């Protein structure tokens, strides 16, 4: 039975990837780090699954990574762990760089030392394009990151390519544009807005405060995107890809869609608060997915409108049943 090792298993993407790989018949091992209060809400439904295992460690501790790989001997490693919230990367740039940049090197080194035949996936990001040099963005578009997070992701991206070229490793980097879901963290703008729309509809909140409503993103659905990761590690040759939808919406359009889903007008409930503006903004992102279509036979299955409706419905269900946002 093939085995996969996932870092970041407690995160949005890790949890959906675990669902997918278990459904594909793999044995799944997820790295978790010690936390003072661990809810692990995104993977609680997998507790007790006979092919699901959790292993203790930390991306910052290379010995924990090599020990894990030596014990598990996986065929696939998906490196999804990161400090992934862009605003926090200005508040803690060194911590962000440690995990989001050096953590990638740690994982690559562990793979190189334990088994160079492991197929390795790195979670790269459209934040590397930042102040975009061309539109739409593709693999050859030059990077111009705008945050310590984006800069860290550029390091991880190039390190992955360097290990592929230096050591002949099957190492791939997926440049994924924003992807969201019912399991998205509440601090990210889509979930912040769908959660607010549901609570306002039920009279539990009056308004929501946001920053830049003009920012545009190419937003896709996370379950569609983990399928692209899996396809990437099953190619004949390692190759990087841009994964996106090829369509973009503004934060304002996001608000409109989420509030319309509960028959409300966002203009009555959205407030502007400069605390949510960023020191340097990424104004617009739009991905070119033609290569993913050709090389991976992949295309997104879920539209932006469908995704926002799903997220609002899930949040209404939580509010109606007094369930916490992280359930
Ligand atoms: P997420 O929900 O923030 O999850 C991040 C994961 O990383 C969590 O499981 C977290 O564990 C883990 N982690 C953080 N520091 C760690 C450490 N020192 N050691 C071990 N694990 C650690 O992120 P996501 O949205 O699923 O994204 C997955 C990956 O894709 C990230 O690398 C992200 O930067 C990248 N990405 C995301 C998007 C997107 O739109 N979602 C787009 C492009 C790229 P805890 O539960 O312990 O905190
Ligand atoms: O912001 C604007 C904000 O925090 C999107 C991460 O997964 O995707 C994500 O990064 C936009 C920005 O995501 C608020 O200024 C307005 O322009 O949801 P976000 P992000 O920064 O694009 C990339 C691809 C990743 O790799 C990252 O890991 O929305 N915005 N008002 C706001 N954003 C937030 N969070 N909160 C607001 O109140």
């Amino acid at each position: 039975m093939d085995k996969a090792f996932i870092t970041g298993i407690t995160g949005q993407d890790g949890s959906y990837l675990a669902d997918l790989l278990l459904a594909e018949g793999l044995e799944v091992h997820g790295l978790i780090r010690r936390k003072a209060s661990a809810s692990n809400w995104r993977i609680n439904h997998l507790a007790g699954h006979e092919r699901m295992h959790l292993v203790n460690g930390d991306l910052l501790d290379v010995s924990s990574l090599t020990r894990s790989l030596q014990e598990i001997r996986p065929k696939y490693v998906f490196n999804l762990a990161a400090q992934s919230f862009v605003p926090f990367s200005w508040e803690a740039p060194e911590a962000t760089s440690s995990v989001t940049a050096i953590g990638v090197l740690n994982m690559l080194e562990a793979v190189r030392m334990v088994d160079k035949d492991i197929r390795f996936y790195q979670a790269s990001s459209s934040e590397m394009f930042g102040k975009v040099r061309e539109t739409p963005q593709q693999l050859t578009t030059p990077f111009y990151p705008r945050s310590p997070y984006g800069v860290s992701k550029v390091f991880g991206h190039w390190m992955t390519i360097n290990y592929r070229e230096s050591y002949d490793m099957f190492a791939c980097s997926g440049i994924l544009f924003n992807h969201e879901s019912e399991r998205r963290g509440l601090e990210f703008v889509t979930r912040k807005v769908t959660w607010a729309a549901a609570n306002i509809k039920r009279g539990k909140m009056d308004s929501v405060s946001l920053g830049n409503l003009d920012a545009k993103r190419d937003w896709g659905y996370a379950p569609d995107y983990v399928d692209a990761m899996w396809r990437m590690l099953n190619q004949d040759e390692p190759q990087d890809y841009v994964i996106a939808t090829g369509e973009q919406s503004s934060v304002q359009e996001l608000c409109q869609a989420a509030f319309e889903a509960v028959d409300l007008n966002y203009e009555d409930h959205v407030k502007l608060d400069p605390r949510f503006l960023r020191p340097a903004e990424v104004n617009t992102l739009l991905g070119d997915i033609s290569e993913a279509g050709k090389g991976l036979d992949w295309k997104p299955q879920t539209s932006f409108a469908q995704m926002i409706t799903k997220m609002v419905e899930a949040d209404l269900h939580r509010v109606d049943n007094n369930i916490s946002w992280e359930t």
Side-chain angles (χ1 to χ4, degrees), residues 143-154:
F143 298 140
Y144 193 142
R146 294 276 277 171
S147 62
Y149 170 80
V151 173
S152 301
K153 281 291 179 186
V154 172

Side-chain angles (χ1 to χ4, degrees), residues 12 82-87 123-128 149 153 176-180 184 186-193 208-219 251 254 273 275-278 281-285:
Q12 172 187 259
Q83 189 305 94
S84 78
F85 188 46
V86 172
S124 287
S125 165
S126 52
E127 283 293 297
M128 302 189 303
Y149 170 80
K153 281 291 179 186
L176 271 53
F177 283 58
N178 298 55
H179 46 280
E180 319 292 315
R184 189 56 145 151
L186 201 56
E187 67 274 41
F188 298 93
V189 74
T190 51
R191 185 77 198 288
K192 184 174 173 180
V193 169
V208 59
S209 296
L210 299 176
N212 180 10
L213 299 190
D214 296 327
K216 290 183 178 158
R217 290 288 184 277
D218 180 329
W219 272 300
V251 174
L254 154 70
D273 186 333
R275 282 181 306 149
F276 295 109
L277 297 175
R278 299 177 180 189
E281 176 64 290
V282 172
N283 292 315
T284 177
L285 287 172

Side-chain angles (χ1 to χ4, degrees), residues 7-15 31-35 40 42 57-60 79-85 99-100 122-127 149 153 174-180 183-185 187-188 222 229:
T7 72
I9 190 134
T10 56
Q12 172 187 259
D13 291 7
S15 68
L31 183 79
I32 51 165
R33 56 181 174 159
R34 193 258 164 191
K35 283 175 290 210
N40 294 340
R42 294 184 179 96
D58 196 299
L59 207 62
L60 298 176
N79 185 40
L80 309 185
Q83 189 305 94
S84 78
F85 188 46
V99 60
T100 307
Q122 167 56 18
S124 287
S125 165
S126 52
E127 283 293 297
Y149 170 80
K153 281 291 179 186
I175 306 183
L176 271 53
F177 283 58
N178 298 55
H179 46 280
E180 319 292 315
R183 297 184 196 166
R184 189 56 145 151
E187 67 274 41
F188 298 93
M229 297 176 190

Side-chain angles (χ1 to χ4, degrees), residues 36 46 70 83 100 111 163-164 171 179 188 205 279 284:
L46 299 177
Q70 268 157 355
Q83 189 305 94
T100 307
V111 168
Y163 268 57
R164 179 168 74 219
H179 46 280
F188 298 93
M205 279 167 67
T284 177

Side-chain angles (χ1 to χ4, degrees), residues 193 210 213 250-260 266 270:
V193 169
L210 299 176
L213 299 190
S250 65
V251 174
Q252 184 171 358
E253 287 164 335
L254 154 70
C255 294
Q256 205 171 347
F259 281 86
E260 268 175 14
Y266 82 93
V270 171

